[in-house]
Amino acid sequence: VTVNMSAARRSGFLVQVLVQRWHPVSFGNTSYIHTGCVMEAARKGTRAKADAKKKASKKEEVKKEFIPLKKRLEMQQTGGASPRRKDDHLKDPIDNVWISRFYKWQMYSVRDAIAMHRETHHETQFNHSNALINAYIELDMSADKKNRYIDNFSNVIQLPYHFENEQQRTVLAISRNEEVIEQAWQMGVTLAAGLDVVKQVQSGEVSFQDIQHFIAEKDTLPDLVPIRGLMKRRFPSVMNGTAGSDIIPIIERFIKGVEYKTTTDKFHHDFATIEAPFGRVRLRTVLGPEQFKIYHKVYIRERALNVKVAAS
């Protein structure tokens, strides 16, 4: 049989090329082909080790608290930073002069703080020896339920030690007794009247536009209901201390007392502040703590009254 060696070589080369295309190992090297069943089980523990490795490498899922869209947009504007100062990670200052934002705030008693103000406001320094001392108080306005907050509140309190606080208020006192009305005029109220004020307001003779506070005797409240819409939230009430059987002490409190009001943060509704005077630099240091404690008592009382409304 005649064999064309060149053709055989060419055909053999072609077969080799085809085999190499499907099997990359050349014919000159030894190769092993696994012919076992594809469903053959792995060795004991192999799959368990692989699952354990996956669990170890998988990060724990942290449940994120749901934040309403409105609050998220507000937090984006402020960077989510709380207005409360947290300085636990800061060090105590080692010198008598330091940059406050890099160190912890120093804590002083009310007596020591008043003494320091008296020193800095002396005639030889700032020369404001009779300046007002304001109390700056941070409040927690969160209610019992989630995403519920206490509304802003305000009132007038009478401190144990009276001082000129430079506050001016317009007050309307309402009473059935002519002697009480006359005494109210002498104490300095803006307007003192009897129940005839209802008809005067309805006819337009008297306007409530410039009146900030309303004081009335408790038994006159039913007669004032027709003009309650004009008073709005300023309607006299026993609960907020603007109504009672004897209104003379209430009038004295509004004439000589100190007015305070809370200011809630625009983006963090659980944070509010009160800034109100509680004395002057010349105030005796012994009286300072007693004056300051009144604000704390007021906050406790107002929170107890308002937290139920906010949670409902």
Side-chain angles (χ1 to χ4, degrees):
V1 178
T2 305
V3 178
N4 191 341
M5 297 302 294
S6 61
R9 282 196 296 270
R10 285 197 298 271
S11 62
F13 178 74
L14 180 60
V15 172
Q16 185 177 358
V17 171
L18 291 173
V19 172
Q20 286 181 349
R21 179 176 295 179
W22 297 102
H23 197 281
V25 182
S26 63
F27 277 72
N29 298 329
T30 304
S31 62
Y32 300 94
I33 301 176
H34 181 69
T35 60
C37 179
V38 294
M39 301 300 293
E40 184 179 342
R43 288 179 296 177
K44 289 185 178 181
T46 302
R47 189 168 297 168
K49 290 180 181 178
D51 293 341
K53 189 175 182 180
K54 287 182 181 179
K55 290 181 180 179
S57 60
K58 188 177 181 181
K59 295 182 179 178
E60 294 183 1
E61 295 183 1
V62 180
K63 293 183 179 180
K64 295 183 179 180
E65 181 183 0
F66 173 75
I67 303 176
L69 177 61
K70 183 179 179 181
K71 189 172 182 180
R72 275 184 291 170
L73 295 176
E74 293 174 350
M75 292 177 67
Q76 288 178 3
Q77 298 181 20
T78 59
S82 173
R84 292 184 176 86
R85 177 182 170 87
K86 297 180 180 179
D87 55 2
D88 296 338
H89 61 288
L90 300 177
K91 299 180 180 179
D92 292 321
I94 58 176
D95 204 349
N96 57 356
V97 179
W98 65 88
I99 302 176
S100 60
R101 64 175 179 172
F102 296 140
Y103 296 93
K104 289 183 179 181
W105 278 2
Q106 297 301 290
M107 309 299 292
Y108 301 100
S109 64
V110 178
R111 294 184 181 182
D112 293 340
I114 294 175
M116 292 177 180
H117 277 79
R118 187 180 293 115
E119 181 179 353
T120 56
H121 288 67
H122 193 264
E123 288 82 354
T124 58
Q125 296 194 38
F126 290 159
N127 194 20
H128 291 290
S129 58
N130 199 32
L132 286 171
I133 301 179
N134 292 323
Y136 179 82
I137 307 171
E138 297 181 355
L139 306 177
D140 182 10
M141 304 293 281
S142 57
D144 292 340
K145 290 186 178 180
K146 192 175 182 180
N147 295 330
R148 294 291 183 91
Y149 308 100
I150 302 173
D151 294 334
N152 283 324
F153 54 85
S154 61
N155 209 330
V156 179
I157 58 175
Q158 190 168 8
L159 300 175
Y161 173 76
H162 174 68
F163 62 96
E164 294 296 331
N165 51 50
E166 301 178 1
Q167 293 181 353
Q168 296 181 353
R169 286 176 291 275
T170 55
V171 180
L172 168 61
I174 302 174
S175 173
R176 297 179 185 271
N177 193 329
E178 292 294 335
E179 295 181 359
V180 174
I181 296 174
E182 182 64 26
Q183 190 175 354
W185 279 113
Q186 295 176 0
M187 296 178 69
V189 298
T190 308
L191 180 63
L195 293 178
D196 55 343
V197 72
V198 177
K199 293 183 179 180
Q200 293 175 354
V201 171
Q202 291 175 339
S203 62
E205 297 180 21
V206 177
S207 175
F208 287 165
Q209 186 175 0
D210 299 329
I211 303 298
Q212 297 174 331
H213 303 280
F214 296 89
I215 302 172
E217 293 176 347
K218 187 168 58 175
D219 58 348
T220 62
L221 298 182
D223 299 321
L224 300 178
V225 173
I227 57 175
R228 182 170 187 169
L230 299 174
M231 297 181 181
K232 298 179 181 179
R233 299 185 65 177
R234 297 168 296 172
F235 189 81
S237 171
V238 178
M239 184 176 295
N240 60 18
T242 54
S245 302
D246 184 9
I247 63 173
I248 296 301
I250 302 176
I251 296 174
E252 183 179 3
R253 173 166 60 88
F254 274 83
I255 296 298
K256 298 182 179 180
V258 178
E259 186 174 4
Y260 70 90
K261 61 180 179 179
T262 60
T263 304
T264 304
D265 187 81
K266 181 179 179 181
F267 302 107
H268 301 268
H269 306 299
D270 62 335
F271 178 81
T273 57
I274 292 178
E275 188 170 0
F278 70 98
R280 291 187 175 271
V281 175
R282 293 178 179 176
L283 176 68
R284 293 173 56 190
T285 55
V286 179
L287 299 175
E290 296 299 326
Q291 299 274 90
F292 191 81
K293 285 180 182 178
I294 299 298
Y295 286 105
H296 182 261
K297 294 179 180 179
V298 166
Y299 168 65
I300 297 299
R301 185 185 71 247
E302 293 289 346
R303 180 175 177 82
L305 293 175
N306 291 277
V307 73
K308 296 179 180 179
V309 178
S312 60

